Amino acid sequence: SLTSYGARLRTVHLIIESIGAGTTRPRRLILWVDDPAVLAEPGTALCKLVRRGLELRLAEPLGSHKKYYPSLPLALDDNVSRLVTVDDDVLYPGWWLERLMAAARESPEAVVAYRARQVLLGDRGFAPWEQWPLCDSTAPSLLNMGIGEAGIAYPRAVIEALHRRGKGFLATAASVDDIWLHSTAVSIGVPTRQVMGKPLHLAVLPGSQSVALAHTNVGGGGNDIALLQNYDKDDLARLRASAAKVKSDDR
């Protein structure tokens, strides 16, 4: 499941083709757009992909949450065990989905991501987002937050929890889907694991980052505000317990 918008729609077919050329292919691949004109006239490249099996669907204008939210009821109706989300600005290598799903089989209860950050806690809550290091382990943990750009596979329990929470993100996490998705997993005690010991860096399409939300979320402090708004005292207690266990294991 992925979404695209604006100038990125001119190149999103390249991302979809990179996924379709992989050693493992998705059973369904859905591109969500919120512009009816795109659905009516998607262009030659996307039309070719639709003929090959791509599902091009119209969704509400939900920003980055459009990447996964409209797929939730479809995943539940289809009884899938995993929903995989991807971004529309990076090219995926041929082994990408095969290794992602292998890691998902090894950790069936966990969210599985190619890139994750390690949550840092302070005396009163979270340490500033910019201080959080990238993950350097494949061990599942509540303290790992998946970063969507390289692809994330969500287990059934998280799909169901996201569906139950509905559009609550509009009030507290409208432009920070990674935080909303992680807080949902933490709320039901589902950890996240990274596929490999180091985060995966993928080739970014030139020019695509000029419209990236990260400029506002990170540089503008949006992530730090969202952290305060999307984790309750029980979530923080779970995270602190995980941090305490890590310290104990390291002794």
Side-chain angles (χ1 to χ4, degrees), residues 126-132 172-173 175-176 179 213-230:
F126 295 97
W129 171 270
E130 291 186 326
Q131 295 179 13
W132 293 15
T172 61
S175 63
V176 283
I179 288 175
L213 286 171
H215 301 314
T216 299
N217 293 342
V218 178
N223 284 343
D224 291 311
I225 295 171
L227 288 172
L228 295 174
Q229 297 176 331
N230 287 282

Side-chain angles (χ1 to χ4, degrees), residues 89-93 95-96 114-115 149-151 200-204:
D89 58 350
V90 292
L91 295 170
Y92 296 91
W95 44 261
W96 166 79
Y114 269 111
R115 289 179 64 82
E149 65 190 52
L200 177 65
H201 295 274
L202 295 176
V204 177

Side-chain angles (χ1 to χ4, degrees), residues 8 14 25 40 72 90 104 120 135 162 166 188 204 210 222:
R8 292 186 179 190
L14 299 175
R25 297 178 181 178
L72 297 176
V90 292
L120 285 187
C135 183
L162 288 167
I188 58 171
V204 177
S210 63

Side-chain angles (χ1 to χ4, degrees), residues 12-22 45 49 52:
V12 69
H13 66 282
L14 299 175
I15 280 75
I16 296 168
E17 287 173 357
S18 73
I19 295 170
L49 288 170
R52 291 171 55 192

Side-chain angles (χ1 to χ4, degrees), residues 167-186:
K167 298 177 185 175
F169 54 79
L170 292 175
T172 61
S175 63
V176 283
D177 56 309
D178 288 336
I179 288 175
W180 176 260
L181 291 159
H182 180 253
S183 68
T184 300
V186 169

